[in-house]
């Protein structure tokens, strides 16, 4: 068992307490909205069925004709077509990416568009915006990133503070005292559940941080300078077709794609202009089976192809944790993320109840630390490291230090007067 330094324990408990109190409302919001968003597919499927599902009647029109039908109905020319896997599935043509994504669905039997779908039109888009930016735009994303950064600190300090004393042994990791009052009960529920999901929480946070502004941009910069992101031609960047003769039809590319027997959802990347290229790729969360092929749209010559092994290690890690964060590795992952969201909300509420029960009247009840205590070089080095990795956390620590410095200075001047 870990032999803890009592003064260090008090100091870490103080900062765990302060950071937790400030973060608590936001953490509860993030946990609840994250849990709700995991039901996105189940919620949207019945609402979109009338657009995505068609009746099979007669002969289907060609994919080339469907492409021409979809073009004028999007603000930008479609850049992707998803190959239907069932006869009663409408063909999806998509332009844009992420929140700017717009899709039209074509009924190949009636030669008509069944409807459009944009992420912004769904109720789940509001949930996602609340989860990612608190409905406050760019300012909100900074708040969420700051809270997420402090969550790393809360987890690390929480593990140290909770770690049972030597005399308690293994039982200390499971100890919940039901008969010593509600304050102790909810404290134990918070600490025990918090400890046992701490690794999962760290993994979940690692999957969410790449979406943030400051950390996310810095992470992308590291990927670029270390060449550990996607290969330059992963998305056909810089590739061009040689204009010669008649372009290959979309139907020929679909036949080629089907012959490859790729796993997951298979899409055709459509040429943007007369020099653009065709692409064939699959989207699956069995990440190791993802492949990309790029072809000259006139000759059909393969220009380049990529496997998952071609992707840099930082990008592979990033994509894995992001998929894990969204519960996309199958039922086990989805259930696990639901459990994490529920337990995070529960342990946060338990912490709040415990605090309310122990809080002195008209005081914050901040834990006291001996005045002579000074954190060691190891702790300071860890704080500096976290401040570099998570810049918003680093800035917030500097602000706290400045406020603390001037508060003590003012207090000292009052005493001298």
């Amino acid at each position: 068992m870990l032999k803890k330094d009592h003064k260090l324990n008090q100091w870490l408990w103080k900062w765990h307490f302060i950071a937790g109190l400030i973060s608590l409302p936001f953490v509860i919001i993030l946990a609840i909205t994250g849990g709700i968003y995991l039901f996105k597919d189940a919620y949207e499927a019945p609402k979109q069925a009338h657009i995505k599902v068609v009746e099979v009647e007669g002969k289907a029109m060609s994919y080339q004709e469907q492409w021409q039908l979809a073009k004028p109905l999007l603000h930008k020319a479609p850049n992707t077509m998803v190959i239907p896997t069932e006869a009663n599935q409408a063909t999806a043509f998509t332009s844009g990416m992420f929140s700017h994504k717009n899709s039209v669905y074509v009924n190949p039997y009636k030669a008509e568009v069944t409807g459009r779908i944009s992420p912004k039109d769904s109720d789940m888009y509001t949930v996602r915006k609340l989860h990612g930016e608190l409905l406050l735009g760019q300012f909100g994303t900074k708040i969420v990133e700051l809270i997420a950064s402090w969550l790393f600190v809360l987890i690390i300090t929480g593990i140290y503070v909770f770690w049972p004393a030597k005399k308690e042994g293994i039982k200390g990791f499971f100890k919940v005292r039901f008969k010593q009052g509600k304050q102790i009960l909810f404290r134990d529920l918070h600490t025990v559940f918090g400890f046992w999901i701490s690794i999962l929480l760290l993994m979940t946070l690692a999957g969410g941080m790449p979406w943030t502004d400051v950390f996310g941009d810095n992470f992308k910069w590291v990927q670029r300078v270390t060449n550990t992101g996607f290969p330059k031609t992963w998305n056909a960047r810089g590739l061009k077709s040689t204009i010669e003769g008649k372009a290959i039809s979309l139907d020929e590319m679909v036949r080629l794609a089907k012959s490859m027997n790729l796993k997951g959802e298979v899409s055709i990347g459509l040429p943007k202009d007369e020099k653009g290229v065709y692409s064939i790729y699959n989207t699956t969360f069995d990440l190791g089976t993802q492949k990309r092929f790029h072809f000259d749209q006139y000759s059909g010559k393969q220009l380049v192809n990529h496997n998952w092994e071609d992707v840099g290690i930082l990008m592979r890690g990033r994509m894995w944790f992001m998929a894990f964060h969204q519960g996309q590795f199958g039922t086990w992952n989805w259930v696990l993320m639901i459990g994490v969201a529920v337990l995070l909300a529960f342990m946060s509420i338990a912490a709040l109840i415990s605090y309310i029960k122990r809080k002195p009247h008209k005081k914050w009840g901040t834990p006291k630390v001996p005045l002579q205590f000074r954190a060691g070089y190891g702790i300071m080095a860890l704080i500096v490291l976290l401040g570099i990795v998570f810049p918003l956390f680093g800035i917030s620590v500097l602000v706290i230090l400045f406020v603390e410095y001037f508060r003590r200075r003012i207090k000292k001047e009052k005493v001298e007067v």
Side-chain angles (χ1 to χ4, degrees), residues 185-417:
L185 171 62
F186 283 103
R187 173 194 173 277
D188 287 351
L189 290 172
H190 168 75
T191 55
V192 171
F193 279 118
F195 175 79
W196 284 109
I197 68 167
S198 58
I199 300 299
L200 287 174
L201 282 176
L202 288 172
M203 292 172 68
T204 304
L205 284 170
M209 291 304 290
W211 276 296
T212 60
D213 289 347
V214 182
F215 175 88
D217 287 346
N218 290 345
F219 192 84
K220 291 173 186 174
W221 176 82
V222 173
Q223 285 180 173
R224 286 195 299 270
V225 298
T226 58
N227 196 29
T228 52
F230 283 124
K232 290 182 179 179
T233 53
W234 179 261
N235 289 316
R237 186 184 304 169
L239 298 179
K240 293 182 180 180
S241 294
T242 302
I243 302 175
E244 187 176 343
K246 187 179 179 182
I248 294 172
S249 73
L250 179 55
D251 293 77
E252 291 179 68
M253 297 307 300
V254 171
R255 282 193 290 273
L256 176 60
K258 288 182 177 180
S259 72
M260 293 178 174
N261 295 316
L262 299 174
K263 292 184 68 173
E265 182 182 86
V266 182
S267 302
I268 306 291
L270 305 170
K272 296 179 181 179
D273 51 39
E274 59 182 8
K275 288 188 177 182
V277 301
Y278 275 118
S279 300
I280 296 175
Y281 60 93
N282 61 329
T283 304
T284 169
F285 290 99
D286 182 1
L287 298 177
T289 63
Q290 288 194 9
K291 299 179 184 292
R292 296 232 166 189
F293 304 85
H294 304 298
F295 302 87
D296 185 296
Q297 67 167 304
Y298 299 96
S299 67
K301 177 184 176 182
Q302 182 175 292
L303 301 175
V304 68
N305 73 285
H306 291 295
N307 296 319
W308 187 242
E309 290 75 17
D310 299 326
V311 179
I313 187 170
L314 286 185
M315 179 59 80
R316 276 188 277 171
R318 171 185 171 183
M319 296 300 291
W320 191 94
F321 278 105
M322 289 172 76
F324 179 82
H325 181 96
Q326 298 175 88
Q328 293 175 327
F329 287 129
T331 303
W332 69 268
N333 186 195
W334 185 86
V335 171
L336 194 62
M337 287 298 98
I338 288 289
V340 168
V342 170
L343 286 175
L344 179 57
F346 173 78
M347 58 181 275
S348 298
I349 293 170
L352 179 61
I353 294 173
S354 177
Y355 167 69
I356 291 172
K357 293 292 182 181
R358 69 173 285 276
K359 178 182 176 296
H361 184 60
K362 293 184 179 181
K363 291 183 179 180
W364 287 104
T366 306
K368 302 296 182 183
V369 178
L371 292 175
Q372 66 273 24
F373 174 78
R374 293 291 181 272
Y377 291 117
I379 298 295
M380 291 296 102
L382 179 60
I383 293 173
V384 171
L385 178 61
L386 288 171
I388 294 171
V389 175
F390 306 114
L392 293 187
F393 165 74
I395 292 171
S396 67
V397 169
L398 290 176
V399 171
I400 290 171
L401 290 175
F402 277 121
V403 170
E404 186 72 8
Y405 170 77
F406 284 112
R407 187 184 70 82
R408 288 184 178 181
R409 187 171 177 178
I410 292 171
K411 188 176 180 180
K412 184 178 179 181
E413 290 176 353
K414 285 182 177 179
V415 171
E416 289 176 352
V417 171

Side-chain angles (χ1 to χ4, degrees), residues 26 29-30 33-34 99-100 120 124-147 208 211-213:
F26 301 102
I29 290 172
L30 292 177
T33 54
S99 61
H100 300 291
K120 293 182 179 180
M124 282 294 178
Y125 180 77
T126 303
V127 174
R128 180 180 176 180
K129 285 295 182 182
L130 182 57
H131 183 72
E133 58 185 48
L134 305 174
L135 302 180
L136 297 174
Q138 290 297 309
F139 177 70
T141 62
K142 302 296 190 302
I143 295 176
V144 171
E145 180 175 352
L146 178 61
I147 298 302
W211 276 296
T212 60
D213 289 347

